[in-house]
Structures are given as structure tokens and as C-alpha cells.
Amino acid sequence: MWNYTWTDRLKQDLFVKYDKFARPTQHFNTTVVNFDIALLYININDFKSTITVNGWASHVWTDEKLKWDPTKYGNIQNIHVGSHEVWQPDILLYHSGTAGTVEHYGDTHCIIYHDGQVLWVPPAQFIGLCELDFRLWPFDTQVCNMTFGSWTFHGEQIDMRLRENEDMEPLYVKNAKWKLLDVSKSRASVMYSCCPEPYTNLNFKMTLKRNSALYCSTLLMPAAAIVFLVLATFWLPPQSEIKVSVAACTILIIAVFLVFMSLIVPLTANPPLIAYFFSGCLCLETITLILSVLVINMSKRIYCKPLPRNIKLCLLGWPGKLLGLSDLINMIESRRPTPNQEMRGKLTEESTTNSTSNISDDGDRQNIISPTKSITQLEWILAGTAVDRIAFVLFCLILTTMAIVCIG
């Protein structure tokens, strides 16, 4: 025939009685399969706990049935055949994340050399299960393992070995979310309880670090703003009702961020530390709201009963000055009545009580004892401000500790 080539004759002679389902050697011999993966792209699915690897899976083995003498076939050194035409080792990913469809490899041709060596480098996508640890999210580093081996042949039938590929780094496409730190490869021989023969497998250990810079503007900056709002509440005037509004709005903001985090981070047994940070801020802000209501009630309510003497002496002394209450202390000291004024106030109060004269109102009495009431009110304002300052110091220590543990 005019189109009958040396390749046609060679393929006809090679495959006339070829069985692609039988291992191409004697049953007591071992087929050595050299395997490696040239990585092209790696990604991790947080919610499915899977790692996806795209690359080129290199397989090299020797087929004893596919050998020829090049001098008898026009000096042909190699031929290209379809992967479905020859026997292939059943190399699969052991812990595949797609159990329903375990076809990893693309349909590409093989290259067969005259000495029986078969080279098959199909494009492949492997989806494997990976145990993820979100404790340090979004500053986490994940370590995922992919183990490859023959599904049905034990180590005495198929011996898996690592094939050192040429450097494929120029082909690797960087992931904006993950940075590949290291890839280590190892070979192991494992004994299973079901079978007396060992099974060889190849393990690829990949270490990836999350790009935390993507989350700085969406999580860390709002966290700093929330901390500022929590602390700023204590510096508002003790009589200001805006304290309650600020605390309530901050609680709402933190709740929204917690919901947002639940959408981008899986709910696992060990939540991220940053989630604990926001939860702690929510608890602290709830306490702040309660303290704000207490301080406003202390400052705005007109108390007839003066501040307890021990507390008053403490706040008017050096502890009050240490808390930055010098202005209020000076105001109270300047309005404190002299002994003569106190005696006049008492005599006037007694005469007013015992007098039977017709007094239209008690305006004079109010004017005389109003300084005492004003001082009492200032003392309670002083106590409320002291509560704010003490809470501010305590919350600064708590938030700093939380930031160091959860974020730093």
C-alpha cells in the first residue's frame, strides 16, 4: 500500500497480540514505575478541607512487550501511541477528595522507546483531603500531604520510585491567596493487616502559608477601630448619655464582624484566635454598656446621701490625682463650706423647721444649703469618673493581652 509506513508495520507487530490489561512482565518480576509531579498551581479549599494541585504527572516504566530493533523498522527510535492503547500502572491518590470521580489524568499520548521504556506525562488535577488548622488564621501555615501508590499491585509487583524532574519552577503559577514555602518528597513501604506483601507509596508534603496581607484592611484595621471605640467610651463625660449609644453601636459592629467571619472561616472544633478576640471585645463592650448605665445613674441622680467617707477620702487623695481627677478634686475643694457656713446652715435649717411664722416658700433655706448639695453631687460625679478611669486601665491591660495572644 502506498501509505503503509514503517510506523504502521511496527505498531502492527507490537500490538497484534498485545493485552493492555496484563502487566507487561512475568508475574514474578517487578515493574519499576518512576513517578513525579511538576507543580503548576496549588489552592486550598477551607470549607471542604481539600487541597487542589494542578500539574504534570510524570510516569516512566519499562514494558517488556514493546521492544524492537530499530534497524528492522527504518531506524525508528520511538513512537507515539494513545494512553488507552498500552498498559498503565494504576497510580492513584490514596486520600482523594473526590471519591465519586477518581480520574486524575488527562487523555494524552505516550512515548514508547525502542528499549521498551514508556514515558507518559499527562496533565493532572489532584484533589486531596487535608487536615487544616485555623487556630492562627489569617496568619496560618498549612501542611498537606498527598500519597500516591498503586491501587491493586503490591510492592513486589509495582515498585514506586521518585523520578527527579527538571526544574519546573518557571511554569508554576503563584496563588494570590497562598504562598508555597516548601515541597518535600519521600518514599515509604507500608505493611497492611490485610496482606502479607508490602505496598510502596510516594508522599508529597507541601507547606503553604496564607497571604495575611489580604486580610489586614478587612479585619485588622476594623479590630483596631473596635478597640478604640471600646476605650473611648470611658473618656466621655460621666453624665453624657452618648456613652450608652456608643457602647450599643460598638456591640452591633462586633456582632456583624462575627457573622462575617463565620462566612469566610469554617466552623471547626478549634476556632481562630481572632474569633476569640472579637468575642472577647463583645463581652468587654457589654460590660462597658453596664458600667456606662451605672456611671450615668451615679452622676445624674441627685443624691441626698453623701459619698461614703472612706471612698471620698481615697478619691480626694493621691489615688484620685493618679487617675487624673485633679480638676474635679479642686472644684470640690473650692466649694467646700467653711465651719461658720456649716453652722449657719444648721441653725437656719433648725429655725426654719421649728418656726411657725408664715413663710411663702423655702427659697432662703435652699440657697443656704445648696452648696452642700452641689458638693455631694460633685462627689458622686467624681466617683463615676473614677469608675470610668479604673475600667479604662483594666480594659487596656485586658485588650493588650488579648491582642498579643490572639493577633500578635
Side-chain angles (χ1 to χ4, degrees):
M1 298 177 61
W2 67 272
N3 61 348
Y4 193 70
T5 63
W6 286 110
T7 303
D8 295 327
R9 179 179 298 178
L10 175 58
K11 291 188 65 176
Q12 183 178 3
D13 292 345
L14 290 176
F15 294 102
V16 62
K17 294 183 179 181
Y18 184 83
D19 184 4
K20 65 179 182 179
F21 297 106
R23 190 166 61 90
T25 186
Q26 294 292 346
H27 67 280
F28 50 80
N29 291 335
T30 302
T31 301
V32 177
V33 178
N34 295 280
F35 180 82
D36 197 10
I37 300 176
L39 302 177
L40 299 180
Y41 185 78
I42 300 177
N43 191 32
I44 292 179
N45 190 319
D46 295 337
F47 287 88
K48 293 183 179 180
S49 294
T50 57
I51 179 172
T52 301
V53 175
N54 292 80
W56 297 348
S58 174
H59 303 70
V60 178
W61 69 92
T62 299
D63 194 320
E64 300 291 342
K65 300 178 181 179
L66 300 178
K67 293 182 179 181
W68 70 90
D69 184 1
T71 59
K72 297 180 179 180
Y73 296 93
N75 201 29
I76 295 179
Q77 301 294 323
N78 59 73
I79 58 175
H80 296 73
V81 299
S83 59
H84 60 279
E85 298 182 73
V86 298
W87 175 88
Q88 298 174 358
D90 55 343
I91 309 301
L92 297 177
L93 176 63
Y94 280 176
H95 47 280
S96 174
T98 56
T101 55
V102 294
E103 295 294 334
H104 305 306
Y105 308 107
D107 187 11
T108 57
H109 281 59
C110 302
I111 301 177
I112 305 177
Y113 296 89
H114 66 90
D115 58 355
Q117 186 182 79
V118 181
L119 173 63
W120 184 40
V121 189
Q125 182 182 70
F126 303 101
I127 301 178
L129 300 176
C130 182
E131 186 176 354
L132 304 178
D133 184 8
F134 297 100
R135 184 173 176 270
L136 299 178
W137 185 94
F139 307 100
D140 53 328
T141 299
Q142 304 296 343
V143 178
C144 297
N145 291 277
M146 282 190 165
T147 304
F148 297 88
S150 174
W151 197 256
T152 57
F153 295 99
H154 53 74
E156 296 178 0
Q157 295 172 329
I158 291 183
D159 184 14
M160 294 283 296
R161 296 182 183 179
L162 283 169
R163 177 173 184 260
E164 294 299 330
N165 255 336
E166 60 274 9
D167 189 10
M168 303 299 294
E169 186 177 355
L171 295 176
Y172 180 74
V173 179
K174 294 183 179 179
N175 191 333
K177 188 176 179 181
W178 294 95
K179 180 181 180 181
L180 181 62
L181 299 180
D182 181 58
V183 178
S184 61
K185 308 170 186 178
S186 61
R187 177 181 178 273
S189 181
V190 183
M191 298 291 296
Y192 295 99
S193 59
C194 65
C195 312
E197 301 86 0
Y199 283 78
T200 59
N201 58 67
L202 304 178
N203 183 69
F204 293 77
K205 181 180 179 180
M206 288 159 284
T207 305
L208 297 100
K209 181 176 179 60
R210 193 186 301 270
N211 185 7
S212 58
L214 300 174
Y215 299 91
C216 289
S217 58
T218 58
L219 287 177
L220 299 186
M221 295 305 295
I226 288 173
V227 170
F228 174 77
L229 289 175
V230 172
L231 297 177
T233 308
F234 298 116
W235 286 95
L236 291 173
Q239 292 178 306
S240 176
E241 297 180 359
I242 300 179
K243 295 164 67 72
V244 177
S245 301
V246 173
C249 291
T250 307
I251 290 175
L252 181 60
I253 292 172
I254 298 174
V256 170
F257 265 92
L258 287 174
V259 174
F260 170 71
M261 288 189 59
S262 67
L263 297 177
I264 62 176
V265 183
L267 299 177
T268 59
N270 296 318
L273 291 178
I274 193 171
Y276 287 112
F277 177 80
F278 280 103
S279 300
C281 289
L282 183 62
C283 296
L284 291 178
E285 191 62 19
T286 304
I287 297 174
T288 301
L289 179 61
I290 297 173
L291 289 177
S292 298
V293 174
L294 177 63
V295 169
I296 292 173
N297 187 45
M298 291 171 57
S299 303
K300 300 192 70 172
R301 182 177 176 184
I302 300 176
Y303 286 88
C304 296
K305 185 177 180 181
L307 192 67
R309 185 172 181 275
N310 293 332
I311 298 178
K312 180 170 64 176
L313 292 177
C314 181
L315 294 179
L316 293 177
W318 65 267
K321 295 180 180 179
L322 187 63
L323 293 174
L325 305 176
S326 300
D327 294 339
L328 284 173
I329 293 174
N330 294 333
M331 187 180 299
I332 293 173
E333 294 290 344
S334 63
R335 294 192 181 187
R336 179 174 295 177
T338 62
N340 292 333
Q341 290 175 337
E342 292 181 358
M343 184 62 66
R344 286 180 56 194
K346 291 181 180 179
L347 293 174
T348 305
E349 185 177 359
E350 291 176 359
S351 61
T352 305
T353 305
N354 299 326
S355 176
T356 57
S357 60
N358 186 13
I359 301 177
S360 60
D361 57 16
D362 57 348
D364 294 336
R365 178 172 176 265
Q366 292 291 339
N367 290 333
I368 293 173
I369 66 173
S370 60
T372 304
K373 289 190 175 182
S374 177
I375 292 175
T376 302
Q377 186 68 25
L378 286 176
E379 289 175 352
W380 283 104
I381 293 176
L382 178 68
T385 308
V387 171
D388 275 344
R389 300 295 167 82
I390 294 173
F392 174 80
V393 175
L394 290 177
F395 277 40
C396 282
L397 296 176
I398 295 173
L399 288 171
T400 302
T401 305
M402 289 171 51
I404 294 174
V405 174
C406 299
I407 300 179

